[in-house]
PDB file of all heavy atoms in Angstrom:
ATOM      1  N   VAL A 317      -5.066  16.002  24.482  1.00 91.00           N
ATOM      2  CA  VAL A 317      -3.687  16.378  24.129  1.00 91.00           C
ATOM      3  C   VAL A 317      -2.870  15.165  23.636  1.00 91.00           C
ATOM      4  O   VAL A 317      -2.253  15.189  22.591  1.00 91.00           O
ATOM      5  CB  VAL A 317      -2.964  17.062  25.302  1.00 91.00           C
ATOM      6  CG1 VAL A 317      -1.529  17.397  24.998  1.00 91.00           C
ATOM      7  CG2 VAL A 317      -3.727  18.322  25.732  1.00 91.00           C
ATOM      8  N   ASP A 365     -17.364  22.178  22.113  1.00 81.00           N
ATOM      9  CA  ASP A 365     -16.391  22.673  23.120  1.00 81.00           C
ATOM     10  C   ASP A 365     -15.155  23.159  22.418  1.00 81.00           C
ATOM     11  O   ASP A 365     -14.289  22.373  22.011  1.00 81.00           O
ATOM     12  CB  ASP A 365     -16.056  21.523  24.105  1.00 81.00           C
ATOM     13  CG  ASP A 365     -15.303  22.013  25.325  1.00 81.00           C
ATOM     14  OD1 ASP A 365     -14.709  23.115  25.226  1.00 81.00           O
ATOM     15  OD2 ASP A 365     -15.263  21.329  26.358  1.00 81.00           O
ATOM     16  N   ILE A 366     -15.015  24.458  22.284  1.00 87.00           N
ATOM     17  CA  ILE A 366     -13.880  25.052  21.582  1.00 87.00           C
ATOM     18  C   ILE A 366     -12.613  24.756  22.331  1.00 87.00           C
ATOM     19  O   ILE A 366     -11.521  24.643  21.738  1.00 87.00           O
ATOM     20  CB  ILE A 366     -14.122  26.570  21.364  1.00 87.00           C
ATOM     21  CG1 ILE A 366     -13.021  27.136  20.445  1.00 87.00           C
ATOM     22  CG2 ILE A 366     -14.097  27.300  22.694  1.00 87.00           C
ATOM     23  CD1 ILE A 366     -13.073  26.633  19.054  1.00 87.00           C
ATOM     24  N   GLU A 367     -12.684  24.622  23.644  1.00 89.00           N
ATOM     25  CA  GLU A 367     -11.501  24.361  24.443  1.00 89.00           C
ATOM     26  C   GLU A 367     -10.944  22.989  24.115  1.00 89.00           C
ATOM     27  O   GLU A 367      -9.723  22.739  24.147  1.00 89.00           O
ATOM     28  CB  GLU A 367     -11.754  24.490  25.929  1.00 89.00           C
ATOM     29  CG  GLU A 367     -12.064  25.938  26.339  1.00 89.00           C
ATOM     30  CD  GLU A 367     -12.173  26.117  27.824  1.00 89.00           C
ATOM     31  OE1 GLU A 367     -12.051  25.096  28.562  1.00 89.00           O
ATOM     32  OE2 GLU A 367     -12.381  27.257  28.276  1.00 89.00           O
ATOM     33  N   ASP A 368     -11.814  22.005  23.830  1.00 88.00           N
ATOM     34  CA  ASP A 368     -11.357  20.705  23.410  1.00 88.00           C
ATOM     35  C   ASP A 368     -10.593  20.797  22.094  1.00 88.00           C
ATOM     36  O   ASP A 368      -9.578  20.107  21.899  1.00 88.00           O
ATOM     37  CB  ASP A 368     -12.535  19.726  23.224  1.00 88.00           C
ATOM     38  CG  ASP A 368     -12.981  19.126  24.547  1.00 88.00           C
ATOM     39  OD1 ASP A 368     -12.249  19.298  25.550  1.00 88.00           O
ATOM     40  OD2 ASP A 368     -14.062  18.498  24.547  1.00 88.00           O
ATOM     41  N   LEU A 369     -11.067  21.650  21.221  1.00 88.00           N
ATOM     42  CA  LEU A 369     -10.373  21.840  19.947  1.00 88.00           C
ATOM     43  C   LEU A 369      -9.002  22.464  20.172  1.00 88.00           C
ATOM     44  O   LEU A 369      -8.009  22.098  19.482  1.00 88.00           O
ATOM     45  CB  LEU A 369     -11.188  22.724  19.027  1.00 88.00           C
ATOM     46  CG  LEU A 369     -10.781  22.818  17.535  1.00 88.00           C
ATOM     47  CD1 LEU A 369     -10.694  21.436  16.883  1.00 88.00           C
ATOM     48  CD2 LEU A 369     -11.720  23.682  16.730  1.00 88.00           C
ATOM     49  N   TYR A 370      -8.904  23.395  21.100  1.00 92.00           N
ATOM     50  CA  TYR A 370      -7.592  23.983  21.445  1.00 92.00           C
ATOM     51  C   TYR A 370      -6.643  22.877  21.972  1.00 92.00           C
ATOM     52  O   TYR A 370      -5.462  22.884  21.644  1.00 92.00           O
ATOM     53  CB  TYR A 370      -7.774  25.059  22.505  1.00 92.00           C
ATOM     54  CG  TYR A 370      -8.491  26.311  22.059  1.00 92.00           C
ATOM     55  CD1 TYR A 370      -9.159  27.111  22.962  1.00 92.00           C
ATOM     56  CD2 TYR A 370      -8.498  26.679  20.744  1.00 92.00           C
ATOM     57  CE1 TYR A 370      -9.807  28.270  22.582  1.00 92.00           C
ATOM     58  CE2 TYR A 370      -9.164  27.845  20.298  1.00 92.00           C
ATOM     59  CZ  TYR A 370      -9.834  28.609  21.253  1.00 92.00           C
ATOM     60  OH  TYR A 370     -10.499  29.743  20.826  1.00 92.00           O
ATOM     61  N   ARG A 371      -7.198  21.985  22.792  1.00 92.00           N
ATOM     62  CA  ARG A 371      -6.347  20.891  23.327  1.00 92.00           C
ATOM     63  C   ARG A 371      -5.892  19.969  22.184  1.00 92.00           C
ATOM     64  O   ARG A 371      -4.743  19.517  22.207  1.00 92.00           O
ATOM     65  CB  ARG A 371      -7.117  20.123  24.394  1.00 92.00           C
ATOM     66  CG  ARG A 371      -7.445  20.952  25.655  1.00 92.00           C
ATOM     67  CD  ARG A 371      -8.194  20.140  26.659  1.00 92.00           C
ATOM     68  NE  ARG A 371      -8.673  21.026  27.723  1.00 92.00           N
ATOM     69  CZ  ARG A 371      -9.936  21.438  27.809  1.00 92.00           C
ATOM     70  NH1 ARG A 371     -10.851  21.073  26.953  1.00 92.00           N
ATOM     71  NH2 ARG A 371     -10.274  22.282  28.788  1.00 92.00           N
ATOM     72  N   ASP A 372      -6.778  19.673  21.258  1.00 91.00           N
ATOM     73  CA  ASP A 372      -6.401  18.859  20.138  1.00 91.00           C
ATOM     74  C   ASP A 372      -5.271  19.501  19.358  1.00 91.00           C
ATOM     75  O   ASP A 372      -4.278  18.841  19.025  1.00 91.00           O
ATOM     76  CB  ASP A 372      -7.589  18.666  19.173  1.00 91.00           C
ATOM     77  CG  ASP A 372      -8.787  18.014  19.882  1.00 91.00           C
ATOM     78  OD1 ASP A 372      -8.623  17.362  20.923  1.00 91.00           O
ATOM     79  OD2 ASP A 372      -9.908  18.138  19.345  1.00 91.00           O
ATOM     80  N   ALA A 373      -5.389  20.803  19.091  1.00 93.00           N
ATOM     81  CA  ALA A 373      -4.327  21.518  18.364  1.00 93.00           C
ATOM     82  C   ALA A 373      -3.030  21.579  19.182  1.00 93.00           C
ATOM     83  O   ALA A 373      -1.951  21.472  18.617  1.00 93.00           O
ATOM     84  CB  ALA A 373      -4.828  22.928  18.020  1.00 93.00           C
ATOM     85  N   ALA A 374      -3.173  21.726  20.493  1.00 94.00           N
ATOM     86  CA  ALA A 374      -1.961  21.782  21.335  1.00 94.00           C
ATOM     87  C   ALA A 374      -1.196  20.484  21.293  1.00 94.00           C
ATOM     88  O   ALA A 374       0.012  20.487  21.211  1.00 94.00           O
ATOM     89  CB  ALA A 374      -2.365  22.148  22.790  1.00 94.00           C
ATOM     90  N   GLY A 375      -1.925  19.356  21.360  1.00 93.00           N
ATOM     91  CA  GLY A 375      -1.260  18.048  21.311  1.00 93.00           C
ATOM     92  C   GLY A 375      -0.523  17.859  20.012  1.00 93.00           C
ATOM     93  O   GLY A 375       0.665  17.431  19.977  1.00 93.00           O
TER      94      GLY A 375
END
Side-chain angles (χ1 to χ4, degrees):
V317 176
D365 192 339
I366 189 66
E367 292 186 0
D368 279 349
L369 192 56
Y370 292 155
R371 295 180 190 102
D372 301 340

